[in-house]
C-alpha cells in the first residue's frame, strides 16, 4: 500500500500531453494553446478615433472652425486634410484624417451652419488611439501553454489566427463491471443495483475536459472483460473501469491489467478508494476505480482529473487548497488519509468547513453540495475549531 502522494507521482511519471492538433477558433474554448502566437501587424493598424467627434488641430485657437466633412465613418478612409480653422467629423473607430492631432467629443461642440464651435479647450492626442497602441507588430500575444478563454480567443481573431495548434481532449472509455450491475432504466432484480458510476464518471470526465466514451456494463467474467478492455483501448486514450478491483474471487480487473500491461500500484493508503489501481497498457493510462460510487468519484477527482488535464496540455493540475477550521469534531481513520466531503464557507477572513454527514463510500449523498475534500491524516480526534487542509473542488459561490 502506498501513500496518496506516491500514487500521484507514479501516475504523473506515466502520463504525458497528447500530440497537439489544428483547431478552428470555434473549437478551442478551454483548450491549451500549443504554439506561441505573435501580432501579425500593428493593432489598431491606423490611428483611430475613440469617440464620435471632430478631428481638429489642437493648437488651433480659431473660435469657430469650418466643417470639412460631416461623415467620417469607421471603415472608410478620410478624404480631407485638416488644417487650422477647419474640423472634420469622425465616428468611433474611424481613421484620423491627415493634419488632425486631436478629436473633440461631439458633446463638447455646437454646430452653427457651416461651422462648429468647441466649448472646451483641446489637448494634442486627445481621443486618438495611435497605430500599434494595443499591439505592436511581432509582439508575443499568447505564449504556448495559455488556457484559451474568451479574451484569448478574441486576441487570436484580432491577429488573424483562425486556426491554431492546441491540445486535443483525451478520449476516455468508461466501463462498469459487476454481475449485479444493471442500467438505470432497468428495474433491478432482488440482488442487483443500478449503474451510477458510469454516468457520474462521464460527467466528471466532461468536467475535466475529456471526451467520454461509454462502454456499457460487463459482468465479472475475465474473457468478456479482457475483450472489452482491449476494444476500449483501440478507440480511447484512457481507460477507466469501476468495480472488480478488490481481493475477491470475482475481482478480475487487477490480474487482467497485469496480463495486458504494467500495474504501477494497486492499493493506496486512503479512504475512500483504497483498492485504486493504476496501470498502463500500450502506453495508455488505465485507472481501475473501486465500485463504491463515492470511492470512484473521489479517486477520479484526486488522480484521474489531474492526469486528464496533463494530457490536455495543462500545467496547473491540482485544485487550489487552503486551511479551514472545522465547525465540529472529526475522527480520523487510524491508518489511512481520509478525504472527507465537506462544505466550505468564508466568514469574514476565516474559512469554515462542515462535513456532508455520514461518509460511507456507498453514500452518494455525501457528495451532494460538497465543494471541498478535507485532507485528514491519521491521528487523534480533531476538535471543533481545528485547522485542516481543504482541497477546493468547486468555488463556494458555485454552490
Ligand atoms: P466492487 O468494487 O466491485 O467490490 O464493488 C463495491 C460496491 O460498489 C458494491 O456494493 C457494488 O455493488 C457497488 N458497485 C459496483 N459497480 C457499481 C456501479 N457501476 N454503480 C454503482 N455501484 C456499483
Ligand atoms: Mg464487484
Amino acid at each position: 500500500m502506498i501513500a496518496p502522494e506516491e500514487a500521484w507521482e507514479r501516475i504523473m511519471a506515466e502520463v504525458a500531453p497528447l500530440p497537439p492538433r489544428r483547431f478552428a477558433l470555434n473549437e478551442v474554448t478551454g483548450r491549451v494553446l500549443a504554439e506561441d502566437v505573435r501580432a501579425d501587424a500593428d493593432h489598431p493598424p491606423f490611428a483611430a478615433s475613440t469617440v464620435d467627434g471632430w478631428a481638429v488641430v489642437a493648437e488651433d485657437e480659431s473660435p469657430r472652425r469650418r466643417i470639412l466633412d460631416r461623415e467620417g465613418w469607421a471603415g472608410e478612409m478620410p478624404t480631407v486634410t485638416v488644417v487650422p480653422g477647419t474640423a472634420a467629423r469622425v465616428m468611433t473607430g474611424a481613421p484620423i484624417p491627415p493634419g488632425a492631432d486631436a478629436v473633440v467629443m461631439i458633446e463638447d461642440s455646437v454646430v452653427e451652419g457651416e461651422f462648429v464651435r468647441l466649448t472646451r479647450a483641446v489637448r494634442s492626442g486627445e481621443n486618438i488611439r495611435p497605430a500599434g497602441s494595443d499591439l505592436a507588430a511581432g509582439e508575443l500575444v499568447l505564449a504556448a501553454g495559455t488556457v484559451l478563454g474568451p479574451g484569448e480567443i478574441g486576441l487570436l481573431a484580432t491577429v488573424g489566427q483562425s486556426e491554431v495548434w492546441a491540445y486535443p481532449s483525451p478520449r476516455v472509455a468508461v466501463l462498469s463491471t459487476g454481475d449485479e450491475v444493471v442500467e438505470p432504466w432497468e428495474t433491478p432484480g432482488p440482488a442487483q443495483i443500478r449503474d451510477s458510476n458510469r454516468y457520474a464518471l462521464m460527467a466528471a470526465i466532461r468536467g475535466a475536459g475529456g471526451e467520454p466514451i461509454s462502454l456499457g456494463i460487463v459482468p465479472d467474467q475475465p474473457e468478456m472483460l479482457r475483450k472489452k478492455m482491449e476494444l476500449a483501448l483501440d478507440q480511447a486514450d484512457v481507460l477507466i473501469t469501476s468495480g472488480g478491483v478488490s481481493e475477491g474471487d470475482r475481482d478480475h480487473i487487477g490480474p487482467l491489467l497485469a496480463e495486458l500491461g504494467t500495474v504501477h500500484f494497486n492499493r493506496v493508503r486512503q479512504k475512500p478508494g483504497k483498492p485504486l489501481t493504476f496501470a498502463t497498457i500500450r502506453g495508455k493510462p488505465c485507472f481501475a476505480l473501486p465500485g463504491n460510487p463515492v470511492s470512484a468519484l473521489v479517486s477520479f477527482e484526486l488522480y484521474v482529473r489531474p492526469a486528464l488535464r496533463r494530457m490536455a496540455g495543462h500545467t496547473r493540475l491540482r485544485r487550489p487548497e487552503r486551511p479551514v477550521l472545522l465547525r465540529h469534531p472529526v475522527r480520523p481513520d487510524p491508518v489511512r488519509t481520509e478525504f472527507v466531503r465537506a462544505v466550505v464557507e468564508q466568514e469574514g477572513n476565516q474559512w469554515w468547513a462542515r462535513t456532508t454527514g455520514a461518509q460511507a463510500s456507498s453514500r452518494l449523498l455525501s457528495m451532494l453540495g460538497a465543494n471541498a475534500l478535507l485532507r485528514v491524516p491519521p491521528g487523534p480526534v480533531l476538535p471543533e475549531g481545528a485547522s485542516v487542509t481543504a482541497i477546493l473542488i468547486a468555488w463556494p459561490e458555485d454552490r
Side-chain angles (χ1 to χ4, degrees), residues 9-334:
E9 300 291 338
R10 291 194 195 179
I11 292 167
M12 288 307 152
E14 298 296 328
V15 172
L18 294 169
R21 290 206 321 248
R22 298 285 281 171
F23 288 98
L25 283 194
N26 62 359
E27 304 170 323
V28 296
T29 309
R31 292 192 191 284
V32 178
L33 187 65
E35 60 176 325
D36 285 348
V37 170
R38 293 179 179 278
D40 61 324
D42 283 346
H43 292 274
F46 46 82
S49 179
T50 60
V51 296
D52 288 346
W54 299 100
V56 297
V57 176
E59 277 199 338
D60 182 3
E61 281 173 8
S62 321
R64 303 195 312 165
R65 303 170 200 222
R66 191 164 55 79
I67 297 173
L68 296 175
D69 181 6
R70 291 178 186 272
E71 304 187 20
W73 298 106
E76 291 176 10
M77 286 309 287
T79 54
V80 297
T81 298
V82 177
V83 296
T86 67
R89 188 69 204 276
V90 283
M91 312 302 171
T92 305
I96 303 296
D101 67 341
V103 176
V104 175
M105 286 206 288
I106 206 78
E107 293 88 334
D108 296 327
S109 72
V110 180
V111 173
E112 297 169 344
E114 297 300 298
F115 291 87
V116 59
R117 191 159 50 77
L118 308 186
T119 56
R120 207 167 58 61
V122 189
R123 232 177 342 98
S124 178
E126 179 170 21
N127 297 324
I128 292 179
R129 198 160 54 111
S133 57
D134 290 346
L135 292 174
E139 181 182 337
L140 182 66
V141 176
L142 295 170
T146 303
V147 180
L148 300 174
E152 290 77 12
I153 292 168
L155 271 170
L156 290 173
T158 300
V159 302
Q161 297 278 342
S162 56
E163 275 188 4
V164 289
W165 288 100
Y167 293 93
S169 313
R171 290 161 304 164
V172 187
V174 194
L175 180 56
S176 290
T177 76
D179 291 332
E180 76 280 31
V181 183
V182 300
E183 288 285 1
W185 53 85
E186 295 182 78
T187 304
Q192 294 182 321
I193 52 133
R194 293 198 180 99
D195 181 5
S196 67
N197 286 346
R198 192 155 37 98
Y199 296 91
L201 288 168
M202 288 197 290
I205 289 162
R206 281 218 176 79
E211 211 181 278
I213 302 171
S214 174
L215 287 179
I217 304 165
V218 179
D220 294 313
Q221 295 181 21
E223 271 322 303
M224 291 177 79
L225 284 166
R226 183 210 316 270
K227 274 208 193 90
K228 203 63 172 234
M229 284 159 73
E230 293 201 289
L231 184 76
L233 289 162
D234 289 341
Q235 33 178 325
D237 304 304
V238 180
L239 170 65
I240 300 181
T241 62
S242 75
V245 77
S246 300
E247 306 280 352
D249 288 344
R250 291 192 181 174
D251 290 333
H252 304 297
I253 299 287
L256 272 172
L257 290 170
E259 184 190 318
L260 296 171
T262 308
V263 174
H264 302 281
F265 61 82
N266 60 7
R267 289 285 173 278
V268 184
R269 204 178 307 117
Q270 65 182 8
K271 186 180 171 183
K274 182 171 76 168
L276 171 67
T277 297
F278 173 65
T280 44
I281 300 175
R282 305 181 219 155
K284 295 181 177 183
C286 302
F287 295 89
L289 309 183
N292 266 313
V294 177
S295 313
L297 281 181
V298 170
S299 300
F300 181 95
E301 170 60 39
L302 293 173
Y303 304 103
V304 187
R305 180 180 182 274
L308 297 185
R309 283 175 64 79
R310 168 166 275 191
M311 295 176 85
H314 288 274
T315 48
R316 265 205 295 126
L317 306 178
R318 292 182 194 259
R319 300 279 201 185
E321 297 185 0
R322 60 163 308 118
V324 297
L325 304 185
L326 294 176
R327 285 213 198 267
H328 53 78
V330 167
R331 180 185 300 278
D333 185 88

